[in-house]
Amino acid sequence: MRDLALCLFIFILAKHVSSVPTKEQFQSCLSTISKTPNNLSKHTSDSRLYTASLKTSSPSSNFLNLNFTSLKPILTLKPQSESEIKKAILCSKKLGVQVRTLSGGHDYEGLSYLSLTPFIIIDLVNLRSITINLTEETAWIQSGATLGELYYKIAKTSKVHAFAAGICPSVGVGGHISGGGFGTIMRKHGLASDNVVDARLMDVNGRILDRKTMGEDLFWALRGGGAASFGVVLSWKVKLARVPEKVTCFISQHPMGASMNKLVHRWQSIGAELDQNLFIRVIIDNSVEGGQRRVKTTFQALFLGGVDKLIPLMNQKFPEIGLRAQDCSEMSWIESIMFFNWKSGQPLETMLNRDLRYEDLYFKAKSDFVQKPVPENVFEEVTKRFLEQETPLMILEPLGGKISEVSESESPYPHRRGNIYNIQYMVKWRVNTVEEMNKHVTWMRMLYDYMTPYVSSSPRGAYLNYRDLDLGNNTGTKTSFEDARVWGEKYYRGNFKKLGLVKGKIDPTNFFRNEQSIPPLF
């Protein structure tokens, strides 16, 4: 049956290929709209079957994903100006092809550069200017910038400002903000999307809208609802956060076992309740020591203050971990980003490297939200399962604090009060074969199924920035809103309906779509 389904899938894609506009037709359309020369990437060709594992068609990314068979883009455009984006959108409408907008290329299922239907890529790599206003304590950031470029610019401008967003420097600002945006100071300052105060969006007709002209409903949708459903976000205006000149970080590693399970269990009860200045996440992975595979747990922490205040706080709230002053390091906020990337002591210019991929590394990821502590014995079972894999990973990130102070409906991201932490599951492999992929993906799905009784339900929550096509996906232009609820309410809960209504107003023909975009609701 699987072979029959694959043959049918290839037949359907082959029919698409026969009617796809050519590169020359698209270029002709661009020239007709304007005589301005088009800045195309060197990877331009007619559509045909390919996978994301092809190095020539993969963007800069931390990981490559084999879980998606795609057409090859008709063109990859790297616009130098906003007017070139408008031309690309209008020609895509005219020729009946989809648009994929690429910021950093970190979509977990590759939807920023893969498609089952004919498409072009608009790569925003040349549109990444950053303008900081310390008087307002804000920054305008073009969507092609990476978090590392933003952080570097902030650090070179001020010693007491930061932005509440993620720790991976090569992640593109555009996708990260539009999906929510976890980070080490989110318990104090909220998600990245919570700190957006304005945005500039190009809609399906090539109009540029800001917060005033787009209206509050669309502005609401962009801040956590996945902006790719609504247009191309050109730039974001964000509120900067004030941070101390010195913060404190520590790492505490422990081998898994009964005592370690108790520590993780204790963390579950306090992680979301700690002082908002303190962020402690848990990383569970394995390594080979002395020829044997061993599972370990790492507590990785940032405190917005000095070690003199952190130690008494830890002794009061989490004495079980036995933290000492000599286990801690004081540093600047920007240095803490390096610390969380295991790059302490390296030049800050490392943050500007957009291509931090791990060569020949493939992966599958999933996510969960936890609302009450998981029993200790669950982590015993997780340990056993981790010993079956070469590179499994679970990251538990505490919520609470500022995140819980925001109402569930204030932005599309709904996982607020009542959720104590998020789980990111990931498994990686190096051998590029279907058999190897199936083995690891099956293992991941079985772990996910095992965790079902211990995580959120009705619906089981998921985080958009850890995109997972296992939850469901759209099938062409005719996917109904009701069908999309299968996966949409896992990401957005009750906010999915409002997102559909916004989509119906801004893009009623569903031009901006992908395999997990918001269908219009009328």
Side-chain angles (χ1 to χ4, degrees):
M1 288 297 292
R2 177 174 294 180
D3 291 341
L4 178 62
L6 178 60
C7 289
L8 179 61
F9 176 72
I10 293 174
F11 172 73
I12 292 171
L13 282 179
K15 288 185 69 178
H16 274 303
V17 169
S18 65
S19 60
V20 172
T22 65
K23 174 184 67 174
E24 290 73 21
Q25 287 174 315
F26 206 97
Q27 288 174 320
S28 176
C29 178
L30 292 171
S31 299
T32 300
I33 291 178
S34 171
K35 298 301 181 183
T36 304
N38 304 307
N39 185 26
L40 308 179
S41 83
K42 63 181 179 181
H43 302 304
T44 60
S45 63
D46 294 332
S47 296
R48 57 180 178 267
L49 292 176
Y50 85 124
T51 65
S53 62
L54 293 175
K55 296 291 189 288
T56 56
S57 54
S58 298
S60 298
S61 172
N62 277 56
F63 306 108
L64 301 175
N65 198 342
L66 278 177
N67 304 326
F68 198 117
T69 301
S70 172
L71 292 173
K72 193 170 184 179
I74 299 167
L75 289 176
T76 297
L77 304 171
K78 295 184 177 180
Q80 299 279 2
S81 66
E82 295 173 351
S83 62
E84 293 178 50
I85 298 176
K86 179 177 180 177
K87 289 190 297 178
I89 290 173
L90 295 181
C91 284
S92 297
K93 283 180 63 180
K94 180 178 179 180
L95 297 175
V97 301
Q98 287 189 25
V99 170
R100 291 289 192 266
T101 305
L102 180 65
S103 177
H106 284 68
D107 186 292
Y108 272 20
E109 297 283 14
L111 299 191
S112 58
Y113 52 92
L114 303 176
S115 176
L116 296 174
T117 54
F119 73 112
I120 66 164
I121 294 174
I122 299 178
D123 186 344
L124 300 175
V125 64
N126 294 319
L127 299 175
R128 59 182 198 264
S129 71
I130 300 165
T131 304
I132 294 175
N133 185 327
L134 288 183
T135 302
E136 288 187 352
E137 296 186 300
T138 61
W140 270 108
I141 316 154
Q142 285 189 303
S143 290
T146 63
L147 293 179
E149 290 168 344
L150 172 60
Y151 295 163
Y152 183 84
K153 185 68 176 285
I154 293 173
K156 291 296 182 179
T157 307
S158 170
K159 295 182 179 180
V160 294
H161 286 89
F163 179 56
I167 64 169
C168 181
S170 60
V171 166
V173 166
H176 183 72
I177 293 177
S178 74
F182 289 167
T184 58
I185 61 174
M186 63 181 177
R187 301 190 63 251
K188 176 72 171 182
H189 296 286
L191 307 175
S193 57
D194 293 337
N195 289 281
V196 175
V197 294
D198 204 346
R200 298 176 69 252
L201 172 87
M202 186 171 290
D203 72 4
V204 67
N205 297 311
R207 298 179 302 167
I208 296 178
L209 309 173
D210 61 11
R211 179 174 184 174
K212 182 177 180 180
T213 53
M214 74 176 66
E216 287 300 306
D217 284 348
L218 178 53
F219 181 66
W220 171 89
L222 299 180
R223 296 178 296 117
S229 294
F230 305 100
V232 177
V233 176
L234 305 171
S235 55
W236 305 86
K237 185 179 183 181
V238 301
K239 179 175 58 179
L240 300 180
R242 279 190 168 265
V243 293
E245 285 197 36
K246 291 293 181 182
V247 302
T248 305
C249 293
F250 71 81
I251 289 175
S252 181
Q253 290 188 339
H254 307 263
M256 288 297 284
S259 60
M260 189 61 256
N261 293 338
K262 292 184 182 300
L263 275 181
V264 175
H265 188 68
R266 173 62 178 159
W267 172 88
Q268 292 184 95
S269 300
I270 63 169
E273 302 298 328
L274 291 170
D275 186 301
Q276 293 185 9
N277 291 300
L278 180 56
F279 172 91
I280 306 176
R281 71 174 184 172
V282 177
I283 303 171
I284 304 174
D285 61 2
N286 64 19
S287 59
V288 176
E289 300 174 12
Q292 287 191 321
R293 189 174 295 166
R294 301 182 186 278
V295 178
K296 69 178 185 300
T297 292
T298 303
F299 293 88
Q300 197 176 31
L302 167 71
F303 177 64
L304 296 174
V307 66
D308 58 324
K309 294 184 178 179
L310 173 61
I311 295 300
L313 178 60
M314 289 293 293
N315 287 340
Q316 178 185 6
K317 299 295 185 180
F318 200 4
E320 296 88 347
I321 206 169
L323 187 69
R324 304 166 301 171
Q326 56 263 43
D327 301 323
C328 304
S329 298
E330 291 188 340
M331 62 191 72
S332 65
W333 167 77
I334 191 68
E335 289 171 333
S336 77
I337 300 296
M338 302 290 286
F339 178 89
F340 270 76
N341 280 279
W342 312 93
K343 295 180 181 296
S344 293
Q346 294 190 22
L348 291 184
E349 284 68 25
T350 304
M351 305 281 286
L352 303 178
N353 186 356
R354 296 178 68 93
D355 189 4
L356 298 180
R357 78 175 75 200
Y358 295 91
E359 291 295 336
D360 301 319
L361 192 60
Y362 308 94
F363 82 101
K364 174 63 184 175
K366 302 179 83 65
S367 64
D368 264 319
F369 287 88
V370 178
Q371 298 176 334
K372 60 181 180 180
V374 172
E376 281 185 46
N377 66 291
V378 171
F379 293 102
E380 295 176 14
E381 177 64 24
V382 167
T383 299
K384 295 176 184 177
R385 291 173 182 252
F386 269 44
L387 290 172
E388 301 169 359
Q389 285 288 325
E390 181 181 351
T391 52
L393 177 68
M394 282 176 64
I395 301 178
L396 319 182
E397 297 193 293
L399 302 174
K402 182 70 172 181
I403 298 171
S404 296
E405 295 173 7
V406 178
S407 73
E408 184 174 312
S409 61
E410 191 166 320
S411 77
Y413 174 90
H415 312 289
R416 305 282 184 172
R417 183 178 298 276
N419 294 280
I420 57 177
Y421 64 92
N422 168 268
I423 302 177
Q424 178 181 187
Y425 312 89
M426 187 176 287
V427 63
K428 310 168 196 173
W429 63 95
R430 295 185 181 277
V431 180
N432 179 1
T433 65
V434 173
E435 292 76 15
E436 193 74 5
M437 177 187 74
N438 286 338
K439 180 179 74 173
H440 294 290
V441 171
T442 298
W443 180 89
M444 170 59 71
R445 290 170 178 163
M446 291 177 66
L447 175 62
Y448 184 75
D449 289 343
Y450 170 74
M451 293 296 292
T452 301
Y454 312 111
V455 297
S456 63
S457 60
S458 301
R460 184 174 184 172
Y463 177 43
L464 180 63
N465 279 355
Y466 302 153
R467 192 188 299 278
D468 180 9
L469 288 179
D470 285 354
L471 303 179
N473 58 83
N474 299 332
T475 53
T477 60
K478 301 302 181 182
T479 297
S480 71
F481 180 83
E482 285 302 311
D483 290 340
R485 287 178 60 184
V486 171
W487 57 265
E489 291 185 351
K490 292 179 172 65
Y491 291 132
Y492 307 112
R493 299 183 65 86
N495 294 327
F496 189 55
K497 181 177 181 180
K498 183 176 178 180
L499 286 168
L501 291 170
V502 174
K503 173 73 169 182
K505 293 178 181 178
I506 187 68
D507 184 18
T509 63
N510 200 22
F511 171 73
F512 287 109
R513 65 184 184 275
N514 60 43
E515 285 65 37
Q516 276 191 348
S517 58
I518 311 293
L521 178 62
F522 303 101

